Amino acid sequence: MSELIIHGPNQLEGEIAIHGAKNSTLPLMAAALLCEEPCVLHNCPNLSDVDTSLKILRHLGCGAERSGGDIFIDPRTTDHFDIPDALMREMRSSIIFLGAIISSMGQALLSFPGGCELGPRPIDLHLAALRKMGIVINENHGCLECSVPDGIHGAVINLSFPSVGATENIIITAVRAEGTTIITNAAREPEIWDLADFLNSCGAKISGAGESTVTIEGVKHLSGCEHRVIPDRIAAATYLAAAAITGSTLTITDIIAEHLAPVFPAFDEAGCKLEIKDNKLKIISPKRLRRIKNIRTMPYPGFPTDAQAPVMAMTTLADGTSMFVENIFESRYKHVGELLRLGANIKVESRVAVVEGVSRLSGAPVEAADLRGGAALVIAGLAADGITEISGLKHLDRGYENIEKNLAQLGADVKRI
Ligand code: EPZ
Protein backbone atom coordinates (compact mmCIF):
# COMPACT_ATOMS: atom_id res chain seq x y z
CA MET A 1 0.00 0.00 0.00
CA SER A 2 1.44 3.42 -0.86
CA GLU A 3 1.97 6.03 1.82
CA LEU A 4 2.74 9.73 1.97
CA ILE A 5 5.93 10.59 3.84
CA ILE A 6 6.00 14.19 5.04
CA HIS A 7 9.08 15.65 6.67
CA GLY A 8 7.96 18.69 8.67
CA PRO A 9 7.79 21.47 9.51
CA ASN A 10 7.34 23.01 6.05
CA GLN A 11 6.79 26.43 4.56
CA LEU A 12 4.84 26.70 1.31
CA GLU A 13 5.25 29.35 -1.33
CA GLY A 14 4.22 30.05 -4.91
CA GLU A 15 1.03 29.43 -6.82
CA ILE A 16 -1.26 26.44 -7.33
CA ALA A 17 -4.09 25.99 -9.84
CA ILE A 18 -7.17 24.33 -8.33
CA HIS A 19 -8.57 21.33 -10.25
CA GLY A 20 -12.17 20.94 -11.39
CA ALA A 21 -14.81 20.08 -8.79
CA LYS A 22 -15.26 16.36 -8.05
CA ASN A 23 -18.78 16.99 -6.73
CA SER A 24 -19.73 18.71 -9.95
CA THR A 25 -18.05 16.31 -12.38
CA LEU A 26 -19.89 13.25 -10.99
CA PRO A 27 -23.49 14.54 -11.45
CA LEU A 28 -22.53 16.06 -14.83
CA MET A 29 -21.30 12.66 -16.05
CA ALA A 30 -24.63 11.15 -14.95
CA ALA A 31 -26.67 13.95 -16.55
CA ALA A 32 -24.93 13.40 -19.91
CA LEU A 33 -26.93 10.15 -20.18
CA LEU A 34 -30.04 12.27 -20.91
CA CYS A 35 -28.51 13.89 -23.99
CA GLU A 36 -29.22 12.66 -27.51
CA GLU A 37 -25.84 13.79 -28.79
CA PRO A 38 -22.27 13.56 -27.50
CA CYS A 39 -21.06 15.88 -24.70
CA VAL A 40 -17.61 17.14 -23.75
CA LEU A 41 -16.75 18.07 -20.17
CA HIS A 42 -13.63 20.23 -19.71
CA ASN A 43 -11.55 20.74 -16.54
CA CYS A 44 -12.47 17.30 -15.13
CA PRO A 45 -10.15 16.30 -12.26
CA ASN A 46 -8.02 13.17 -12.44
CA LEU A 47 -9.58 11.35 -9.45
CA SER A 48 -10.54 7.76 -8.72
CA ASP A 49 -14.21 8.72 -8.26
CA VAL A 50 -14.20 10.11 -11.80
CA ASP A 51 -12.58 6.88 -13.05
CA THR A 52 -15.35 4.89 -11.34
CA SER A 53 -17.97 7.05 -13.03
CA LEU A 54 -16.30 6.37 -16.39
CA LYS A 55 -16.56 2.63 -15.63
CA ILE A 56 -20.26 3.05 -14.82
CA LEU A 57 -20.95 4.92 -18.06
CA ARG A 58 -19.11 2.26 -20.07
CA HIS A 59 -21.00 -0.52 -18.26
CA LEU A 60 -24.23 1.20 -19.33
CA GLY A 61 -23.05 0.98 -22.93
CA CYS A 62 -22.20 4.66 -23.18
CA GLY A 63 -19.09 5.90 -24.99
CA ALA A 64 -16.92 7.47 -22.27
CA GLU A 65 -13.32 8.47 -22.84
CA ARG A 66 -10.93 10.76 -20.99
CA SER A 67 -8.14 12.76 -22.57
CA GLY A 68 -6.33 14.89 -19.99
CA GLY A 69 -8.95 17.12 -18.34
CA ASP A 70 -11.52 16.47 -21.07
CA ILE A 71 -14.16 13.73 -20.86
CA PHE A 72 -16.05 12.73 -24.01
CA ILE A 73 -19.42 11.07 -23.44
CA ASP A 74 -21.52 9.58 -26.26
CA PRO A 75 -24.84 8.48 -24.71
CA ARG A 76 -26.30 7.27 -28.03
CA THR A 77 -25.11 3.69 -27.45
CA THR A 78 -26.53 3.33 -23.92
CA ASP A 79 -28.21 -0.09 -23.70
CA HIS A 80 -28.01 -1.14 -20.02
CA PHE A 81 -29.86 0.11 -16.97
CA ASP A 82 -28.05 -1.55 -14.07
CA ILE A 83 -25.04 -0.64 -11.93
CA PRO A 84 -23.27 -3.75 -10.56
CA ASP A 85 -22.85 -4.04 -6.82
CA ALA A 86 -19.05 -3.79 -7.08
CA LEU A 87 -19.27 -0.39 -8.76
CA MET A 88 -21.91 0.83 -6.31
CA ARG A 89 -19.60 -0.15 -3.47
CA GLU A 90 -16.60 1.47 -5.15
CA MET A 91 -18.40 4.81 -5.03
CA ARG A 92 -21.51 5.24 -2.91
CA SER A 93 -22.32 8.54 -4.65
CA SER A 94 -23.16 6.36 -7.68
CA ILE A 95 -26.74 6.93 -6.48
CA ILE A 96 -26.45 10.13 -8.53
CA PHE A 97 -26.87 7.93 -11.64
CA LEU A 98 -30.32 6.72 -10.52
CA GLY A 99 -32.43 9.51 -12.00
CA ALA A 100 -30.37 9.65 -15.19
CA ILE A 101 -30.68 5.89 -15.86
CA ILE A 102 -34.44 5.85 -15.17
CA SER A 103 -35.03 8.90 -17.34
CA SER A 104 -32.99 7.58 -20.26
CA MET A 105 -33.84 3.85 -20.03
CA GLY A 106 -37.29 3.82 -18.39
CA GLN A 107 -35.98 1.46 -15.72
CA ALA A 108 -33.03 1.01 -13.35
CA LEU A 109 -31.51 -1.69 -11.19
CA LEU A 110 -29.04 -0.49 -8.57
CA SER A 111 -27.85 -2.13 -5.39
CA PHE A 112 -28.65 -0.06 -2.32
CA PRO A 113 -25.59 2.16 -1.78
CA GLY A 114 -23.86 1.04 1.40
CA GLY A 115 -23.01 3.47 4.15
CA CYS A 116 -19.59 4.99 4.17
CA GLU A 117 -17.08 6.37 6.66
CA LEU A 118 -19.38 9.33 7.29
CA GLY A 119 -22.32 7.29 8.50
CA PRO A 120 -25.32 5.44 7.01
CA ARG A 121 -25.83 7.93 4.11
CA PRO A 122 -29.60 7.29 3.71
CA ILE A 123 -31.32 7.98 0.37
CA ASP A 124 -34.92 8.29 1.61
CA LEU A 125 -35.23 11.83 0.23
CA HIS A 126 -34.10 10.66 -3.23
CA LEU A 127 -36.57 7.75 -3.29
CA ALA A 128 -39.56 9.69 -1.92
CA ALA A 129 -39.08 12.40 -4.56
CA LEU A 130 -38.71 9.99 -7.47
CA ARG A 131 -41.83 8.08 -6.35
CA LYS A 132 -43.75 11.38 -6.43
CA MET A 133 -42.68 11.73 -10.07
CA GLY A 134 -44.26 8.38 -11.03
CA ILE A 135 -41.30 6.09 -10.58
CA VAL A 136 -42.10 2.71 -8.98
CA ILE A 137 -39.19 1.64 -6.75
CA ASN A 138 -39.12 -1.81 -5.15
CA GLU A 139 -36.45 -2.31 -2.54
CA ASN A 140 -35.62 -5.94 -1.96
CA HIS A 141 -32.55 -8.10 -1.46
CA GLY A 142 -30.52 -4.88 -1.14
CA CYS A 143 -31.50 -3.80 -4.63
CA LEU A 144 -33.52 -0.88 -5.97
CA GLU A 145 -35.70 -2.10 -8.87
CA CYS A 146 -37.14 0.96 -10.59
CA SER A 147 -39.71 1.15 -13.37
CA VAL A 148 -41.85 3.83 -14.97
CA PRO A 149 -45.24 2.26 -15.81
CA ASP A 150 -46.92 5.54 -16.81
CA GLY A 151 -43.98 7.76 -17.64
CA ILE A 152 -42.25 10.35 -15.45
CA HIS A 153 -44.34 13.40 -14.59
CA GLY A 154 -43.50 16.67 -12.82
CA ALA A 155 -44.35 17.18 -9.14
CA VAL A 156 -43.99 19.68 -6.32
CA ILE A 157 -41.28 18.34 -4.01
CA ASN A 158 -40.65 19.86 -0.61
CA LEU A 159 -37.30 18.58 0.69
CA SER A 160 -37.22 18.18 4.48
CA PHE A 161 -33.44 18.68 4.23
CA PRO A 162 -31.61 20.52 1.41
CA SER A 163 -29.86 17.33 0.30
CA VAL A 164 -27.29 17.93 -2.46
CA GLY A 165 -27.64 14.48 -4.02
CA ALA A 166 -31.42 14.42 -3.78
CA THR A 167 -31.64 17.88 -5.40
CA GLU A 168 -29.39 16.67 -8.23
CA ASN A 169 -31.32 13.43 -8.76
CA ILE A 170 -34.63 15.32 -8.87
CA ILE A 171 -33.35 17.91 -11.36
CA ILE A 172 -31.91 15.18 -13.61
CA THR A 173 -35.16 13.16 -13.45
CA ALA A 174 -37.32 16.24 -14.05
CA VAL A 175 -35.61 17.72 -17.14
CA ARG A 176 -37.36 15.31 -19.55
CA ALA A 177 -40.45 14.61 -17.44
CA GLU A 178 -44.01 15.41 -18.57
CA GLY A 179 -44.87 18.80 -17.08
CA THR A 180 -43.21 21.00 -14.46
CA THR A 181 -41.34 20.08 -11.27
CA ILE A 182 -40.85 22.52 -8.41
CA ILE A 183 -38.34 21.76 -5.66
CA THR A 184 -38.61 23.76 -2.43
CA ASN A 185 -35.82 23.77 0.17
CA ALA A 186 -33.45 22.66 -2.59
CA ALA A 187 -29.70 22.48 -1.95
CA ARG A 188 -28.01 25.75 -3.02
CA GLU A 189 -24.44 24.42 -3.49
CA PRO A 190 -22.53 25.78 -6.55
CA GLU A 191 -22.49 22.24 -7.96
CA ILE A 192 -26.31 22.45 -8.32
CA TRP A 193 -25.90 25.64 -10.33
CA ASP A 194 -23.20 23.98 -12.48
CA LEU A 195 -25.49 20.99 -13.21
CA ALA A 196 -28.36 23.28 -14.25
CA ASP A 197 -25.99 25.36 -16.40
CA PHE A 198 -24.89 22.20 -18.25
CA LEU A 199 -28.45 20.91 -18.73
CA ASN A 200 -29.76 24.32 -19.86
CA SER A 201 -26.93 24.42 -22.44
CA CYS A 202 -28.37 21.14 -23.74
CA GLY A 203 -31.87 22.64 -24.04
CA ALA A 204 -33.34 22.01 -20.58
CA LYS A 205 -35.56 24.61 -18.92
CA ILE A 206 -34.32 24.96 -15.34
CA SER A 207 -34.67 28.16 -13.32
CA GLY A 208 -33.71 29.07 -9.76
CA ALA A 209 -30.76 26.64 -9.49
CA GLY A 210 -28.55 27.79 -6.61
CA GLU A 211 -31.61 29.16 -4.81
CA SER A 212 -33.98 27.35 -2.45
CA THR A 213 -36.75 26.96 -5.03
CA VAL A 214 -35.85 25.34 -8.35
CA THR A 215 -38.34 25.02 -11.22
CA ILE A 216 -37.82 22.53 -14.03
CA GLU A 217 -40.09 22.56 -17.08
CA GLY A 218 -39.91 19.18 -18.77
CA VAL A 219 -38.68 19.13 -22.40
CA LYS A 220 -38.75 16.33 -24.97
CA HIS A 221 -35.20 16.43 -26.23
CA LEU A 222 -31.75 17.37 -24.99
CA SER A 223 -28.86 18.02 -27.36
CA GLY A 224 -25.22 17.59 -26.38
CA CYS A 225 -22.93 20.44 -25.35
CA GLU A 226 -19.42 21.39 -24.23
CA HIS A 227 -19.14 22.47 -20.61
CA ARG A 228 -16.32 23.52 -18.30
CA VAL A 229 -16.59 22.11 -14.76
CA ILE A 230 -16.40 24.72 -11.98
CA PRO A 231 -13.30 24.70 -9.72
CA ASP A 232 -13.25 22.51 -6.62
CA ARG A 233 -14.04 24.86 -3.72
CA ILE A 234 -13.18 22.18 -1.13
CA ALA A 235 -9.78 21.46 -2.67
CA ALA A 236 -9.21 25.24 -2.64
CA ALA A 237 -10.13 25.46 1.06
CA THR A 238 -7.78 22.55 1.74
CA TYR A 239 -4.77 24.30 0.18
CA LEU A 240 -5.67 27.49 2.07
CA ALA A 241 -5.64 25.51 5.34
CA ALA A 242 -2.25 24.02 4.41
CA ALA A 243 -0.88 27.55 3.87
CA ALA A 244 -2.47 28.82 7.10
CA ILE A 245 -1.03 26.13 9.38
CA THR A 246 2.48 26.55 7.93
CA GLY A 247 2.47 30.36 8.23
CA SER A 248 2.84 30.58 4.44
CA THR A 249 1.93 33.09 1.76
CA LEU A 250 0.31 31.20 -1.13
CA THR A 251 -1.68 32.07 -4.24
CA ILE A 252 -4.37 29.71 -5.47
CA THR A 253 -5.69 30.23 -9.02
CA ASP A 254 -8.58 29.04 -11.18
CA ILE A 255 -11.03 29.63 -8.34
CA ILE A 256 -14.46 31.25 -8.12
CA ALA A 257 -14.08 33.41 -5.00
CA GLU A 258 -17.84 33.56 -4.40
CA HIS A 259 -17.93 29.76 -3.95
CA LEU A 260 -15.24 30.04 -1.26
CA ALA A 261 -16.93 32.88 0.65
CA PRO A 262 -18.43 30.52 3.28
CA VAL A 263 -14.93 29.72 4.61
CA PHE A 264 -13.52 33.29 4.50
CA PRO A 265 -14.75 34.26 8.02
CA ALA A 266 -12.87 31.28 9.52
CA PHE A 267 -9.59 32.28 7.88
CA ASP A 268 -10.13 35.97 8.77
CA GLU A 269 -10.76 35.08 12.45
CA ALA A 270 -7.64 32.89 12.44
CA GLY A 271 -5.61 35.96 11.45
CA CYS A 272 -5.04 35.21 7.74
CA LYS A 273 -5.15 38.00 5.15
CA LEU A 274 -7.00 37.09 1.94
CA GLU A 275 -6.48 39.14 -1.24
CA ILE A 276 -8.83 38.36 -4.10
CA LYS A 277 -8.18 39.42 -7.69
CA ASP A 278 -10.34 37.90 -10.47
CA ASN A 279 -9.87 34.12 -10.31
CA LYS A 280 -6.86 34.29 -7.97
CA LEU A 281 -6.72 34.34 -4.18
CA LYS A 282 -3.60 35.14 -2.17
CA ILE A 283 -3.47 34.07 1.47
CA ILE A 284 -0.94 35.69 3.83
CA SER A 285 -0.77 33.70 7.05
CA PRO A 286 0.46 34.86 10.48
CA LYS A 287 3.32 33.09 12.24
CA ARG A 288 0.80 31.61 14.65
CA LEU A 289 -2.93 31.34 13.94
CA ARG A 290 -5.53 32.67 16.34
CA ARG A 291 -8.25 30.25 17.53
CA ILE A 292 -11.61 30.14 15.71
CA LYS A 293 -14.31 30.50 18.35
CA ASN A 294 -17.10 28.51 16.73
CA ILE A 295 -17.52 26.76 13.38
CA ARG A 296 -20.92 25.20 12.63
CA THR A 297 -21.19 23.17 9.40
CA MET A 298 -24.34 24.05 7.44
CA PRO A 299 -25.77 23.60 3.95
CA TYR A 300 -24.44 26.16 1.43
CA PRO A 301 -23.98 29.11 1.83
CA GLY A 302 -23.06 28.07 5.40
CA PHE A 303 -19.65 26.65 6.34
CA PRO A 304 -19.20 23.46 4.25
CA THR A 305 -19.03 20.14 6.10
CA ASP A 306 -16.30 19.02 3.66
CA ALA A 307 -14.02 21.81 4.94
CA GLN A 308 -14.52 20.90 8.64
CA ALA A 309 -11.66 18.39 8.85
CA PRO A 310 -9.09 20.49 6.92
CA VAL A 311 -9.90 23.63 8.96
CA MET A 312 -9.90 21.66 12.23
CA ALA A 313 -6.37 20.49 11.39
CA MET A 314 -5.14 24.04 11.05
CA THR A 315 -6.62 25.05 14.45
CA THR A 316 -4.63 22.33 16.27
CA LEU A 317 -1.65 24.75 16.43
CA ALA A 318 -3.70 27.93 16.93
CA ASP A 319 -3.35 30.15 20.00
CA GLY A 320 -6.47 29.33 22.03
CA THR A 321 -9.46 27.00 21.89
CA SER A 322 -11.59 26.47 18.77
CA MET A 323 -14.97 24.74 18.66
CA PHE A 324 -16.59 22.81 15.81
CA VAL A 325 -20.19 21.63 15.49
CA GLU A 326 -20.75 19.06 12.71
CA ASN A 327 -24.42 19.39 11.77
CA ILE A 328 -24.48 17.55 8.44
CA PHE A 329 -23.05 14.06 8.93
CA GLU A 330 -23.35 11.64 11.83
CA SER A 331 -19.73 10.65 12.22
CA ARG A 332 -17.35 13.04 10.61
CA TYR A 333 -14.69 13.19 13.33
CA LYS A 334 -12.72 10.06 12.42
CA HIS A 335 -9.65 12.25 11.81
CA VAL A 336 -9.61 13.38 15.47
CA GLY A 337 -8.04 10.17 16.78
CA GLU A 338 -5.25 10.42 14.23
CA LEU A 339 -4.67 14.14 14.94
CA LEU A 340 -4.23 13.23 18.63
CA ARG A 341 -1.42 10.87 17.57
CA LEU A 342 0.34 13.92 16.11
CA GLY A 343 0.05 15.71 19.47
CA ALA A 344 -3.17 17.66 18.99
CA ASN A 345 -5.49 18.28 21.94
CA ILE A 346 -9.09 17.66 20.84
CA LYS A 347 -12.19 16.50 22.73
CA VAL A 348 -15.29 15.22 20.92
CA GLU A 349 -18.75 15.13 22.47
CA SER A 350 -21.21 13.80 19.81
CA ARG A 351 -21.49 16.62 17.23
CA VAL A 352 -19.14 19.01 19.06
CA ALA A 353 -15.33 18.97 18.85
CA VAL A 354 -13.24 21.26 21.08
CA VAL A 355 -9.69 21.91 19.85
CA GLU A 356 -7.20 23.34 22.33
CA GLY A 357 -4.31 24.78 20.36
CA VAL A 358 -0.91 23.29 21.24
CA SER A 359 2.51 24.80 20.59
CA ARG A 360 3.81 21.95 18.44
CA LEU A 361 2.80 18.77 16.64
CA SER A 362 5.19 15.85 16.22
CA GLY A 363 5.26 13.51 13.25
CA ALA A 364 3.88 9.95 13.58
CA PRO A 365 2.37 7.18 11.42
CA VAL A 366 -1.35 7.95 10.89
CA GLU A 367 -4.12 6.48 8.74
CA ALA A 368 -6.77 8.27 6.67
CA ALA A 369 -10.29 6.93 7.29
CA ASP A 370 -12.14 9.16 4.80
CA LEU A 371 -11.43 11.70 2.10
CA ARG A 372 -11.46 15.00 3.96
CA GLY A 373 -10.15 13.45 7.16
CA GLY A 374 -7.16 12.31 5.11
CA ALA A 375 -6.64 15.89 3.94
CA ALA A 376 -6.63 16.98 7.61
CA LEU A 377 -3.77 14.56 8.32
CA VAL A 378 -1.74 15.97 5.40
CA ILE A 379 -2.30 19.53 6.67
CA ALA A 380 -1.24 18.64 10.22
CA GLY A 381 1.70 16.58 8.93
CA LEU A 382 3.02 19.57 6.97
CA ALA A 383 3.42 21.51 10.24
CA ALA A 384 4.45 18.62 12.52
CA ASP A 385 8.11 18.26 13.59
CA GLY A 386 9.71 15.19 12.01
CA ILE A 387 8.29 12.41 9.86
CA THR A 388 4.54 11.83 9.37
CA GLU A 389 3.59 8.68 7.44
CA ILE A 390 0.04 8.74 6.07
CA SER A 391 -1.61 5.50 4.89
CA GLY A 392 -5.15 5.02 3.51
CA LEU A 393 -4.31 7.05 0.41
CA LYS A 394 -7.19 5.49 -1.54
CA HIS A 395 -9.42 7.93 0.35
CA LEU A 396 -7.27 10.94 -0.57
CA ASP A 397 -7.03 9.93 -4.23
CA ARG A 398 -10.83 10.07 -4.48
CA GLY A 399 -10.84 13.85 -4.08
CA TYR A 400 -7.38 15.39 -4.52
CA GLU A 401 -5.47 15.39 -7.79
CA ASN A 402 -1.68 14.80 -7.37
CA ILE A 403 -1.71 16.19 -3.83
CA GLU A 404 1.91 15.23 -3.06
CA LYS A 405 3.20 16.63 -6.38
CA ASN A 406 1.32 19.90 -5.83
CA LEU A 407 2.61 20.30 -2.28
CA ALA A 408 6.19 19.39 -3.29
CA GLN A 409 5.99 21.96 -6.09
CA LEU A 410 5.05 24.52 -3.39
CA GLY A 411 8.19 23.62 -1.42
CA ALA A 412 6.92 20.92 0.96
CA ASP A 413 9.07 17.87 1.72
CA VAL A 414 6.47 15.23 0.84
CA LYS A 415 6.66 12.10 -1.28
CA ARG A 416 4.53 9.07 -2.04
CA ILE A 417 6.26 5.72 -1.57
C1 EPZ B 1 -22.73 15.61 -1.22
O1 EPZ B 1 -23.05 14.38 -0.60
C2 EPZ B 1 -21.23 15.56 -1.44
N1 EPZ B 1 -20.90 14.43 -2.32
C3 EPZ B 1 -20.52 15.41 -0.10
O2 EPZ B 1 -19.12 15.46 -0.36
C4 EPZ B 1 -20.90 16.58 0.79
O3 EPZ B 1 -20.30 16.41 2.06
C5 EPZ B 1 -22.42 16.64 0.93
O4 EPZ B 1 -23.03 16.73 -0.38
C6 EPZ B 1 -22.88 17.84 1.74
O5 EPZ B 1 -22.42 19.02 1.12
C7 EPZ B 1 -21.08 14.57 -3.65
O6 EPZ B 1 -21.54 15.59 -4.13
C8 EPZ B 1 -20.69 13.40 -4.49
P1 EPZ B 1 -26.49 15.27 1.24
P2 EPZ B 1 -24.62 13.96 -0.43
O7 EPZ B 1 -27.48 14.46 0.50
O8 EPZ B 1 -25.37 14.37 -1.64
C9 EPZ B 1 -28.75 13.28 4.88
C10 EPZ B 1 -16.89 14.82 -0.20
O9 EPZ B 1 -16.13 14.80 0.76
N2 EPZ B 1 -29.61 12.67 3.84
O10 EPZ B 1 -26.57 16.78 1.16
O11 EPZ B 1 -24.67 12.55 -0.02
C11 EPZ B 1 -27.37 12.64 4.88
O12 EPZ B 1 -27.38 11.48 5.69
C12 EPZ B 1 -18.31 14.32 -0.05
O13 EPZ B 1 -16.61 15.30 -1.34
C13 EPZ B 1 -30.76 11.98 4.25
O14 EPZ B 1 -31.07 11.88 5.43
O15 EPZ B 1 -25.02 14.89 0.80
C14 EPZ B 1 -26.49 13.71 5.46
O16 EPZ B 1 -26.59 13.65 6.87
C15 EPZ B 1 -18.56 13.73 1.31
N3 EPZ B 1 -31.54 11.41 3.30
C16 EPZ B 1 -27.15 14.99 4.97
O17 EPZ B 1 -28.47 14.66 4.55
C17 EPZ B 1 -31.24 11.49 1.96
O18 EPZ B 1 -32.02 10.96 1.13
C18 EPZ B 1 -26.40 15.62 3.81
O19 EPZ B 1 -26.49 14.76 2.75
C19 EPZ B 1 -30.08 12.19 1.58
C20 EPZ B 1 -29.28 12.78 2.53
Side-chain angles (χ1 to χ4, degrees), residues 245-259:
I245 196 173
T246 52
S248 307
T249 293
L250 185 67
T251 299
I252 58 174
T253 67
D254 280 1
I255 56 138
I256 297 174
E258 176 202 342
H259 295 171

Side-chain angles (χ1 to χ4, degrees), residues 311-366:
V311 170
M312 178 188 287
M314 82 186 211
T315 63
T316 58
L317 281 175
D319 179 10
T321 301
S322 307
M323 187 167 86
F324 292 79
V325 186
E326 173 53 59
N327 295 308
I328 306 293
F329 285 105
E330 237 120 79
S331 58
R332 199 162 199 177
Y333 286 137
K334 287 202 167 49
H335 45 286
V336 168
E338 298 303 294
L339 290 172
L340 296 181
R341 286 172 53 80
L342 297 173
N345 180 345
I346 307 170
K347 294 214 176 24
V348 172
E349 283 285 326
S350 95
R351 287 185 178 277
V352 177
V354 179
V355 183
E356 272 200 58
V358 294
S359 52
R360 70 184 280 275
L361 295 175
S362 57
V366 287

Side-chain angles (χ1 to χ4, degrees), residues 155-232:
V156 176
I157 293 159
N158 310 300
L159 285 176
S160 56
F161 179 86
S163 154
V164 172
T167 302
E168 291 166 345
N169 250 329
I170 297 164
I171 289 174
I172 288 172
T173 306
V175 286
R176 291 196 335 187
E178 192 58 45
T180 300
T181 299
I182 297 174
I183 312 169
T184 61
N185 194 27
R188 298 169 54 187
E189 272 72 1
E191 292 76 29
I192 305 288
W193 178 87
D194 204 26
L195 174 62
D197 186 36
F198 165 81
L199 287 166
N200 284 339
S201 307
C202 296
K205 289 195 178 116
I206 305 165
S207 55
E211 297 308 318
S212 286
T213 300
V214 181
T215 304
I216 306 107
E217 230 182 288
V219 295
K220 286 264 168 294
H221 303 288
L222 287 179
S223 67
C225 81
E226 288 207 42
H227 180 85
R228 181 178 168 78
V229 175
I230 56 172
D232 195 312

Side-chain angles (χ1 to χ4, degrees), residues 22-23 26 92-93 118 121-126 161-166 168 189 305-306 328-329 332 371-372:
K22 164 178 88 77
N23 292 347
L26 303 183
R92 69 155 306 283
S93 39
L118 308 181
R121 306 296 293 270
I123 55 170
D124 54 311
L125 299 175
H126 298 244
F161 179 86
S163 154
V164 172
E168 291 166 345
E189 272 72 1
T305 173
D306 293 348
I328 306 293
F329 285 105
R332 199 162 199 177
L371 166 54
R372 307 301 173 184

